[in-house]
């Protein structure tokens, strides 16, 4: 990985609208599989032609019912029907509002009320809540399931209604003039680790620019496994739209427990994940290697493989066939975003012959900002700014560290109904991310931590807990960790504390764990050493995006 050089961005065809893209893909790909999923124990394949027609039928039914420039919301598990609603809404003049299916009931109602949703598509389990009259205004409810008695309206019936209208010559949906691409198209509610969620307003220009820029940095292949929640920007924009834009096939993993089974079933060659997945894959692989007594042999093969690679001989797929088979046998690339990624994981997957390519993103930037590339992939960095984006460090300190700010076509319109917070983060055309970082000598971005998490010690030194957490997380026995400061009675931040949840499968004594912590932190200065250690019996409480609610513990 040390001989890599910069190379030109991939040349992709720009597109202005999702409707235009879906129509083009139907014309170009026709009977190619667009989406594959399991339903009622049967494998269902939807072609690009069929997918496009479904959006036409649903769009026609909604238009006939007066849903023009309205708010269309959807809540439910990852499934094809969710995607139908999503793509239809993006292809229309309406605004799409995805809702996190794991939110508490009161927060679900808050999102519906705050976004002023007019119609909500939902899994059957949400019907009692939505029918309870808790919303501020009357909404139409459409079930994504087809075996319930109430409400009368289901997605299946709407599509059938739209097909009949379309077959009879109704072109009200396709004839409706599209919105300006810079108008509001989607409101994404963030799941913050501290305060209430904010409604991030994205335009169609934001969304299409992100897909184009992201795939200019790192290509995907023919078959992808879709595992991340659809209400997240990374999966809804990069995963769903990126896969369709690239004319690939997306296989839906409905439940997390089925990931390994679906690797073997669908044999994907790429997958979009967050670091928690990459950590899980690595942990399971290493546990299996150790349990089978093959750890020494594995390390010897890695060493031999890396020597051979220096002479242009790549035997990784053969040497590590058993690991590749776990991923279905065809995995080429894992695209990782959403949170900082340990550099050791990038090196591990490179050693076994699977590219783990990470980037930096934030919902307010649709979400991608920087990315490593297939042949310019550097552990410990999040890569280069994407084409079309300007990324700078605001008020850098002596080490070059400061707040990351972004300008370009992917930057959000603002926070919905929140001009005050919008004004705080959007200034002079720049979006101030709240993340701190620096550039290395080659212009690659390195994330050091969140502005709100920064610790200012009594000696004046700034500490980003995420940096230290990354070192400690590399210890095999550590499953979860947060680092924070011990405060004096006067509120000054003095010493650092690590609170750790040890992996129950690999127990370790406090004495031995402290020794390992001291070893991994040895390269860091004294003020970054851990002075206090707290071991937990349970996992940390997390947000729906699997981030630790740090403020509950410090």
């Amino acid at each position: 990985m040390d001989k890599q050089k910069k190379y030109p961005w991939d040349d992709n065809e720009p597109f202005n609208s999702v409707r235009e893209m879906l129509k083009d893909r139907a014309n170009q790909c026709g009977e190619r599989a667009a989406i594959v999923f399991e339903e009622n124990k049967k494998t269902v394949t939807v072609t690009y032609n069929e997918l496009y027609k479904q959006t036409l039928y649903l769009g026609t039914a909604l238009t006939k019912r007066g849903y023009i420039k309205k708010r269309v919301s959807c809540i439910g598990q990852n499934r094809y029907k969710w995607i139908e609603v999503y793509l239809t809404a993006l292809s229309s003049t309406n605004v799409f509002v995805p809702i996190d299916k794991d939110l508490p009931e009161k927060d679900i109602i808050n999102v519906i009320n705050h976004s002023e949703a007019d119609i909500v598509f939902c899994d059957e389990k949400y019907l009692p809540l939505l029918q309870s009259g808790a919303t501020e205004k009357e909404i139409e409810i459409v079930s994504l399931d087809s075996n319930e008695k109430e409400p009368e309206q289901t997605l299946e019936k709407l599509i059938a209604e739209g097909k009949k209208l379309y077959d009879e010559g109704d072109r009200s949906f396709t004839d409706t003039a599209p919105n300006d691409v810079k108008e509001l198209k989607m409101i994404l509610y963030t799941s913050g680790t501290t305060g209430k969620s904010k409604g991030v307003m994205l335009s169609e220009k934001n969304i299409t620019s992100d897909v184009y820029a992201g795939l200019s940095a790192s290509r995907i292949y023919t078959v992808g496994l879709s595992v991340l929640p659809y209400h997240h920007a990374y999966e809804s924009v990069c995963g769903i739209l990126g896969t369709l834009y690239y004319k690939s096939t997306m296989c839906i993993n409905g439940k997390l427990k089925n990931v390994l089974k679906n690797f073997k079933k669908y044999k994907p060659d790429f997958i979009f994940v967050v670091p928690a997945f990459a950590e899980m894959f690595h942990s399971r692989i290493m546990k299996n290697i150790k349990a089978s007594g093959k750890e020494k042999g594995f390390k010897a093969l890695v060493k031999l493989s890396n020597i051979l690679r220096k002479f242009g001989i790549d035997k990784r797929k053969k040497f590590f066939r058993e690991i590749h088979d776990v991923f279905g046998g065809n995995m080429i690339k894992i695209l990782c975003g959403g949170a900082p990624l340990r550099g050791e994981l990038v090196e591990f997957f490179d050693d076994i012959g699977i590219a783990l390519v990470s980037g930096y993103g934030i919902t307010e930037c649709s979400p991608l900002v920087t990315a490593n590339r297939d042949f310019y992939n550097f552990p410990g960095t999040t890569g280069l700014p994407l084409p079309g984006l300007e990324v700078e460090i605001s008020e850098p300190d002596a080490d070059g560290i400061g707040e990351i700010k972004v300008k370009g076509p992917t930057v959000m319109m603002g926070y919905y109904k929140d001009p005050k917070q919008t004004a705080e983060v959007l200034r002079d055309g720049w979006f101030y991310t709240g993340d701190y970082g620096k550039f290395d000598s080659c212009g690659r971005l390195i994330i050091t931590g969140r502005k709100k998490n920064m610790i200012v010690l009594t000696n004046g030194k700034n500490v980003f807990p995420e940096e230290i957490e990354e070192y400690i997380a590399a210890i095999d026995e550590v499953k979860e960790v947060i680092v924070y400061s011990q405060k004096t009675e006067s509120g000054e931040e003095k010493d650092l504390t690590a609170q750790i949840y040890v992996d129950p499968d690999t127990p370790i004594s406090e004495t031995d764990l402290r020794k390992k912590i001291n070893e991994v932190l040895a390269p860091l200065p004294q003020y970054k050493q851990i002075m206090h250690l707290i071991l937990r019996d349970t996992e940390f409480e997390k947000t729906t995006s699997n981030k630790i609610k740090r403020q509950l513990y410090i």
Side-chain angles (χ1 to χ4, degrees):
M1 299 178 78
D2 55 345
K3 295 183 179 179
Q4 302 176 94
K5 295 181 180 179
K6 288 184 181 180
Y7 58 99
W9 302 108
D10 291 346
D11 186 19
N12 292 312
E13 180 185 351
F15 69 107
N16 294 315
S17 75
V18 173
R19 181 194 289 192
E20 169 194 309
M21 186 265 286
L22 291 176
K23 183 177 181 180
D24 286 347
R25 295 303 174 264
N27 290 334
Q28 296 165 5
C29 304
E31 298 308 303
R32 183 184 303 174
I35 299 175
V36 180
F37 57 97
E38 188 174 295
E39 188 172 70
N40 298 324
K41 297 183 179 181
K42 294 182 179 179
T43 300
V44 180
T45 299
V46 179
T47 67
Y48 274 88
N49 261 335
E50 290 169 333
L51 177 63
Y52 177 58
K53 287 179 181 177
Q54 294 295 307
T55 65
L56 291 182
Y57 300 153
L58 180 56
T60 300
L62 291 175
T63 301
K64 186 70 173 179
R65 289 168 172 262
Y67 289 104
I68 299 172
K69 294 186 180 293
K70 301 289 187 179
R71 303 292 164 87
V72 177
S73 190
C74 189
I75 181 170
Q77 65 180 338
N78 284 15
R79 60 197 299 193
Y80 174 62
K81 291 179 179 180
W82 196 104
I83 295 173
E84 285 182 295
V85 176
Y86 171 58
L87 294 178
T88 301
L90 294 190
S91 300
S92 71
T93 61
N94 297 303
V95 174
F96 184 64
V97 184
I99 303 177
D100 181 347
K101 65 181 177 61
D102 295 321
L103 286 176
E105 288 189 350
K106 64 179 180 61
D107 291 338
I108 292 172
I109 297 299
N110 286 342
V111 169
I112 291 173
N113 288 337
H114 187 264
S115 67
E116 302 173 283
D118 296 290
I119 180 171
V120 180
F121 292 81
C122 68
D123 285 356
E124 187 175 12
K125 64 178 286 188
Y126 301 100
L127 291 176
L129 171 65
L130 298 179
Q131 293 170 338
S132 68
T135 57
E136 292 175 355
K137 73 175 188 180
E138 187 175 342
I139 55 172
E140 182 170 2
I141 304 165
V142 180
S143 175
L144 297 175
D145 297 293
S146 303
N147 59 347
E148 77 301 312
K149 297 178 181 178
E150 294 291 343
E152 183 180 329
Q153 195 54 265
T154 67
L155 177 63
E156 239 177 49
K157 290 177 182 177
L158 264 185
I159 291 175
E161 177 185 310
K163 182 180 186 306
K164 184 174 184 297
L165 290 167
Y166 189 84
D167 290 345
E168 291 172 351
D170 187 329
R171 296 296 182 268
S172 57
F173 175 61
T174 54
D175 289 347
T176 300
N179 295 341
D180 186 288
V181 294
K182 293 184 179 180
E183 289 183 28
L184 179 61
K185 177 53 65 178
M186 183 156 60
I187 305 175
L188 289 164
Y189 284 83
T190 62
S191 55
T193 56
T194 52
K196 66 177 183 179
S197 61
K198 301 182 290 288
V200 175
M201 297 191 294
L202 299 181
S203 68
E204 193 161 19
K205 178 68 173 176
N206 290 150
I207 296 166
T208 59
S209 297
D210 187 84
V211 173
Y212 173 76
L215 291 176
S216 295
S218 186
R219 65 167 296 184
I220 56 177
Y221 297 93
T222 57
V223 179
L225 184 65
S226 175
V227 300
L228 298 177
Y230 288 166
H231 67 271
H232 285 177
Y234 189 43
E235 186 65 19
S236 63
V237 177
C238 303
I240 297 174
L241 295 182
T243 299
L244 298 176
Y245 169 81
Y246 216 75
K247 308 173 187 176
S248 304
T249 299
M250 187 178 85
C251 302
I252 299 174
N253 182 81
K255 297 180 179 179
L256 290 181
K257 67 179 182 180
N258 295 332
V259 171
L260 296 180
K261 182 189 80 172
N262 284 331
F263 275 140
K264 294 182 179 181
K265 177 182 176 71
Y266 297 120
K267 303 184 184 304
D269 45 28
F270 72 92
I271 184 173
F272 289 91
V273 303
V274 292
F277 274 91
E279 292 278 3
M280 179 190 72
F281 296 153
H282 170 260
S283 176
R284 289 193 179 183
I285 291 168
M286 291 309 301
K287 281 180 183 177
N288 289 338
I289 289 172
K290 291 175 181 178
S292 60
K294 297 179 180 179
E295 188 174 7
K296 286 186 178 179
F298 172 74
K299 289 180 178 178
L301 269 183
V302 168
K303 187 174 182 180
L304 173 60
S305 172
N306 288 338
I307 291 172
L308 292 174
R309 289 170 65 193
K310 291 181 179 180
F311 295 93
I313 303 170
D314 190 350
K315 295 287 185 181
R316 290 175 294 176
K317 196 157 188 176
K318 181 177 180 180
F319 285 174
F320 308 109
R321 166 56 61 189
E322 289 184 22
I323 298 175
H324 280 262
D325 287 345
V326 171
F327 290 94
N330 295 332
M331 187 64 70
I332 298 172
K333 182 190 294 187
I334 300 172
L335 300 102
C336 190
L341 178 71
R342 289 197 293 123
E344 295 92 334
L345 294 181
V346 179
E347 294 171 348
F348 171 82
F349 281 97
D350 179 65
D351 284 341
I352 65 172
I354 297 174
L356 177 58
V357 180
S358 67
Y360 164 65
I362 187 167
T363 304
E364 288 87 342
C365 291
S366 307
L368 297 181
V369 176
T370 65
N372 275 293
R373 308 196 62 199
D374 300 359
F375 308 107
Y376 197 69
N377 189 13
F378 291 84
T381 82
T382 61
L384 301 169
L386 295 182
L389 295 187
E390 297 177 57
V391 183
E392 293 183 1
I393 303 299
S394 176
E395 300 180 2
D397 63 14
D399 296 318
I401 297 172
E403 185 174 2
I404 301 163
K405 61 179 185 178
V406 185
K407 179 188 287 187
T410 65
V411 172
M412 68 168 181
M413 302 168 67
Y415 296 121
Y416 187 56
K417 295 181 180 178
D418 199 338
K420 182 179 179 182
Q421 284 213 38
T422 298
E424 289 176 1
V425 298
L426 286 177
R427 305 196 299 271
D428 299 322
W430 291 93
F431 170 63
Y432 287 74
T433 64
D435 291 317
Y436 269 47
K438 64 180 180 179
F439 286 107
D440 68 9
S441 59
C442 296
R444 300 180 293 253
L445 184 64
I446 298 170
I447 307 298
T448 55
R450 286 290 291 169
K451 180 179 179 180
K452 65 185 178 185
N453 296 338
M454 186 174 69
I455 300 166
V456 182
L457 298 174
T458 53
N459 61 8
K461 297 290 187 180
N462 293 338
V463 176
F464 289 98
E466 294 91 342
E467 176 193 11
I468 302 168
E469 290 163 3
E470 184 174 333
Y471 278 90
I472 297 174
I475 299 171
D476 290 340
E477 292 82 1
V478 174
K479 188 167 186 180
E480 297 175 355
V481 56
I482 60 169
V483 170
Y484 52 92
S485 64
Q486 286 279 15
K487 293 184 179 180
T488 66
E489 291 183 2
S490 60
E492 294 178 317
E493 298 180 297
K494 190 176 181 182
D495 299 323
L496 298 181
T497 296
Q499 191 171 160
I500 293 172
Y501 174 61
V502 173
D503 190 332
D505 293 334
T506 54
I508 186 173
S509 69
E510 183 173 342
T511 300
D512 289 341
L513 179 57
R514 179 170 283 282
K515 184 179 178 181
K516 287 194 173 188
I517 291 172
N518 291 340
E519 288 173 356
V520 298
L521 296 184
L524 300 181
Q526 181 59 36
Y527 68 88
K528 292 184 178 180
Q529 300 301 313
I530 296 299
M531 304 304 292
H532 308 278
L533 181 61
I534 299 174
L535 299 185
R536 296 177 53 80
D537 296 326
T538 59
E539 293 186 14
F540 291 98
E541 187 175 337
K542 303 178 187 70
T543 67
T544 59
S545 56
N546 209 36
K547 295 176 182 177
I548 293 173
K549 293 183 176 180
R550 183 184 297 268
Q551 299 303 318
L552 295 179
Y553 305 99
I554 63 177

